[in-house]
Amino acid sequence: MYLATMKTVCIFIAGFLVSLSVQAQWRVLEVGTTAHFRAVHAPSPLVCWIAGTQGTVLRTLDGGATWRQVSVPGATELDFRDVHAFDAQTALVMSAGEAEKG
């Protein structure tokens, strides 16, 4: 009885994991920059912010179809490591580095 129950549970878990892997599909998007990105935050299914090297911050309002540069003025020497978006208009970025570059 116990073995049959464990077999049923294992089959259920395997089926669940397979269904998750089918749903999690990645695709490469062109964003029109040579920056390397280290931070991403999506406050909604259509809005996403990304940040990275050369002080680059980009935002999409249409689920990734188009991206707009919304970089911080004067931040071209910064290396952004984190972004937290509150909505389509407001986000905070964090840089890391030596002294004034951090």
Side-chain angles (χ1 to χ4, degrees):
M1 178 76 172
Y2 176 75
L3 189 57
T5 303
M6 285 303 294
K7 186 177 178 182
T8 303
V9 169
C10 287
I11 291 171
F12 174 76
I13 290 173
F16 178 72
L17 292 175
V18 167
S19 72
L20 286 179
S21 68
V22 170
Q23 293 175 358
Q25 301 297 319
W26 291 90
R27 61 188 169 113
V28 176
L29 298 175
E30 290 295 324
V31 294
T33 182
T34 59
H36 296 258
F37 294 98
R38 295 181 172 91
V40 60
H41 191 234
S44 76
L46 295 178
V47 177
C48 184
W49 295 71
I50 56 177
T53 60
Q54 304 165 356
T56 305
V57 180
L58 302 178
R59 175 189 66 191
T60 181
L61 302 175
D62 55 13
T66 59
W67 292 86
R68 180 173 176 215
Q69 188 153 355
V70 291
S71 298
V72 178
T76 57
E77 298 296 317
L78 297 180
D79 186 8
F80 291 128
R81 301 294 179 101
D82 193 21
V83 61
H84 181 85
F86 296 96
D87 54 37
Q89 301 300 317
T90 311
L92 297 174
V93 290
M94 180 199 73
S95 67
E98 300 175 15
E100 63 278 344
K101 292 186 179 183

